[in-house]
Amino acid sequence: MDWVIGMQKAIDYIEDNLTESIDYDTVAAQSFSSSYHFQRVFSILCGFTVGEYIRNRRLSLAGTELAASDAKVIDIALKYGYESPDSFAKAFQKFHGILPSQAKNNGSNLKSFSRLVLKFSLEGGTIMNYRIKEKDEMILTGYKRHFDGVPGEREAQEKGMYVTTRPLQYILGALAGDIETDYNVIANIDDTGYDFYIANQLTEYYRNNLNKECILGEEFAHHFENITIPKCTYAVFETERCSYPTLVFLDLRRKIASEWLPTSGYQLVNAPELIKTHWFRRDKSNQRYRELWIPIEKR
């Protein structure tokens, strides 16, 4: 229950300061957690970042004020933190679909983004198997794309990445000598997006020589990079065994954030998140599963 109270206090602080500059460290302090932990848990539970919430709430309120008052557009822009009418107009049109000046027209359609209110509900009562693992530094090799928004919630994009980069996946699997296991690395997470890697664990020889044209040929050289995963403590969870574990791991991540983390005595740290997928073939395809490696530290 304490984590619900803490999260609500943080949201209330945001709401009370929407016309002021909002410091994320101060917001997180309301929930008695680190800034990184608060932002990650918020995004996992809500499906959007803290920055998106603040921006959408400000634009929602700005639309209401423009429609219901004689306030000037420039005054509303400054009130909600925009330094120029042009930047405000661009953000306003992207959110509402109309210009700020059009919001004053009687009958104009505006969008509303409501305030978050956490409600306590009885959940849990389920068994979650996990293990705490002290993992030494590890080097993976892979390729990446940068995605906007919240990790995991852009699963359609990540699936698209899988579909469009099959040759690179086959190369990694062949060089690793393992076509039934791969890694995803989610790193460099901030309020605007994250880096998403498809990777595998190669020998030192291939790590050091992979981008040489004599190894892969001109077509595939220079696609790959080595990713250093620092020494860290991880909480490791596994999805259920099924044919398509990619479809169930998002629910597991939300359960970790809403049920396990609040009572575990741990908080998230700013380190890469790992997803290790076991792609069993043929008669064992219904035994596939994903391991979620969540970087943590003691509160």
Side-chain angles (χ1 to χ4, degrees):
M1 189 64 177
D2 288 345
W3 77 274
V4 176
I5 295 172
M7 286 287 287
Q8 189 61 64
K9 285 183 63 178
I11 292 168
D12 292 344
Y13 177 86
I14 291 173
E15 290 291 332
D16 291 341
N17 291 275
L18 284 173
T19 59
E20 308 294 334
S21 177
I22 297 177
D23 177 72
Y24 286 5
D25 288 336
T26 305
V27 173
Q30 313 305 307
S31 66
F32 311 105
S33 63
S34 71
S35 178
Y36 185 84
H37 176 85
F38 173 77
Q39 290 183 67
R40 288 289 291 121
V41 170
F42 183 97
S43 66
I44 292 170
L45 294 178
C46 299
F48 44 79
T49 67
V50 176
E52 288 175 315
Y53 178 74
I54 294 171
R55 181 170 58 254
N56 290 344
R57 284 291 293 142
R58 284 172 169 168
L59 290 169
S60 180
L61 293 175
T64 300
E65 290 193 36
L66 285 172
S69 72
D70 294 327
K72 295 180 180 180
V73 171
I74 181 62
D75 293 335
I76 296 297
L78 292 173
K79 178 178 180 178
Y80 288 104
Y82 290 87
E83 296 180 356
S84 71
D86 287 342
S87 62
F88 176 64
K90 184 177 180 181
F92 192 94
Q93 186 171 31
K94 184 177 181 180
F95 181 79
H96 288 285
I98 60 174
L99 292 170
S101 58
Q102 294 174 304
K104 291 182 170 295
N105 297 335
N106 186 31
S108 294
N109 290 322
L110 295 169
K111 292 181 180 178
S112 175
F113 188 84
S114 59
R115 175 177 182 155
L116 275 175
V117 177
L118 297 183
K119 295 183 179 180
F120 177 76
S121 62
L122 189 60
E123 294 181 350
T126 57
I127 296 174
M128 294 184 69
N129 294 320
Y130 70 94
R131 62 185 186 274
I132 303 298
K133 177 77 173 178
E134 300 284 345
K135 192 164 185 62
D136 291 333
E137 180 181 280
M138 176 173 66
I139 300 177
L140 298 175
T141 302
Y143 56 97
K144 74 177 179 183
R145 287 187 186 171
H146 185 79
F147 290 110
D148 297 331
V150 176
E153 297 300 328
R154 304 301 191 265
E155 179 69 3
Q157 289 179 298
E158 293 164 13
K159 286 181 179 177
M161 182 179 176
Y162 267 101
V163 171
T164 59
T165 60
R166 293 296 189 199
L168 301 181
Q169 296 163 47
Y170 296 149
I171 289 171
L172 284 174
L175 294 178
D178 182 1
I179 62 172
E180 293 193 340
T181 305
D182 69 21
Y183 292 85
N184 294 155
V185 181
I186 298 173
N188 302 320
I189 303 169
D190 59 27
D191 208 39
T192 62
Y194 60 99
D195 291 331
F196 181 83
Y197 294 83
I198 294 176
N200 220 316
Q201 197 164 18
L202 308 188
T203 64
E204 183 177 2
Y205 172 80
Y206 283 126
R207 288 203 309 268
N208 293 338
N209 295 281
L210 192 61
N211 289 332
K212 292 184 178 179
E213 294 183 8
C214 61
I215 298 292
L216 294 177
E218 184 177 355
E219 181 179 1
F220 295 108
H222 314 304
H223 279 286
F224 300 98
E225 62 181 283
N226 292 323
I227 312 126
T228 300
I229 311 299
K231 182 178 180 180
C232 188
T233 301
Y234 284 90
V236 186
F237 298 80
E238 296 180 3
T239 66
E240 62 187 77
R241 268 55 172 175
C242 59
S243 297
Y244 299 102
T246 54
L247 301 179
V248 299
F249 90 103
L250 287 180
D251 287 338
L252 177 57
R253 183 189 270 121
R254 292 189 189 99
K255 286 183 66 177
I256 293 168
S258 63
E259 297 181 22
W260 185 78
L261 275 171
T263 59
S264 67
Y266 292 96
Q267 65 178 1
L268 301 177
V269 294
N270 191 359
E273 177 181 331
L274 303 179
I275 304 168
K276 185 177 182 180
T277 308
H278 301 267
W279 298 107
F280 299 123
R281 263 59 174 186
R282 298 187 181 92
D283 60 326
K284 297 177 64 176
S285 62
N286 63 350
Q287 294 298 306
R288 296 169 179 166
Y289 68 99
R290 274 186 153 181
E291 299 176 22
L292 275 65
W293 290 65
I294 308 297
I296 55 171
E297 66 180 2
K298 284 282 189 181
R299 282 187 181 270

